[in-house]
Amino acid sequence: MDIILFDGVCNFCDASINFVIRHDRQGRFRFAPLQSETAAALGTSLHFDTSRLETFVLVQNGKVYTKSTAALRVARQLPFPWRGMYAFIIIPRFIRDAVYSLIARNRYRWFGKKDSCMIPTPEIRSRFLQ
């Protein structure tokens, strides 16, 4: 099971998670906000900082991926044409992460912020970790 940890109050992050849910036909991914106890427990066991809300985290096969690498590894698991985004992995990580960080720094200003984490609908609740 692959787990995506995301900023639960970020509108852009919320939209991104909904995009993954719509396109993840095999139900491969599970989700939890970075602000959750699940994320804190994973952070402790896998030694990463869940207080850094400027990235989402992909936990895959016991390894932790962040920023652009996490996003591209998620895209690789989605159907065509989205999996083609993985081709951007050839761009050096420092360049990919600079673009990712620019968006992350401005995401609240550009896309807004909610007062609380998203509440999954009953149809997708099973995909969210408590």
Side-chain angles (χ1 to χ4, degrees):
M1 168 177 45
D2 297 343
I3 302 169
I4 298 173
L5 305 174
F6 63 99
D7 180 355
V9 298
C10 167
N11 287 334
F12 180 72
C13 304
D14 182 49
S16 298
I17 295 306
N18 284 320
F19 178 87
V20 172
I21 289 168
R22 278 193 316 276
H23 293 91
D24 178 22
R25 296 179 189 142
Q26 290 143 357
R28 173 184 193 106
F29 296 104
R30 297 294 178 265
F31 309 93
L34 280 162
Q35 298 90 336
S36 70
E37 291 178 21
T38 297
L42 281 168
T44 299
S45 67
L46 295 173
H47 310 291
F48 65 90
D49 183 7
T50 59
S51 67
R52 291 182 25 216
L53 298 178
E54 72 277 357
T55 185
F56 78 88
V57 177
L58 173 64
V59 178
Q60 191 174 53
N61 300 322
K63 293 183 180 179
V64 177
Y65 302 94
T66 61
K67 295 190 176 191
S68 65
T69 303
L72 293 174
R73 290 182 72 88
V74 168
R76 183 167 70 171
Q77 301 303 319
L78 299 178
F80 180 82
W82 312 113
R83 74 179 47 201
M85 298 288 292
Y86 189 72
F88 288 106
I89 202 79
I90 65 169
I91 296 171
R93 190 174 79 192
F94 77 93
I95 295 171
R96 289 185 281 118
D97 282 351
V99 173
Y100 184 99
S101 293
L102 173 69
I103 295 167
R105 272 193 313 275
N106 293 290
R107 71 190 186 281
Y108 293 147
R109 187 171 1 144
W110 294 344
F111 303 102
K113 181 178 178 180
K114 297 181 286 194
D115 292 330
S116 62
C117 291
M118 94 183 241
I119 310 252
T121 64
E123 298 82 33
I124 61 170
R125 186 163 293 147
S126 65
R127 309 242 348 242
F128 284 76
L129 303 173
Q130 300 300 320

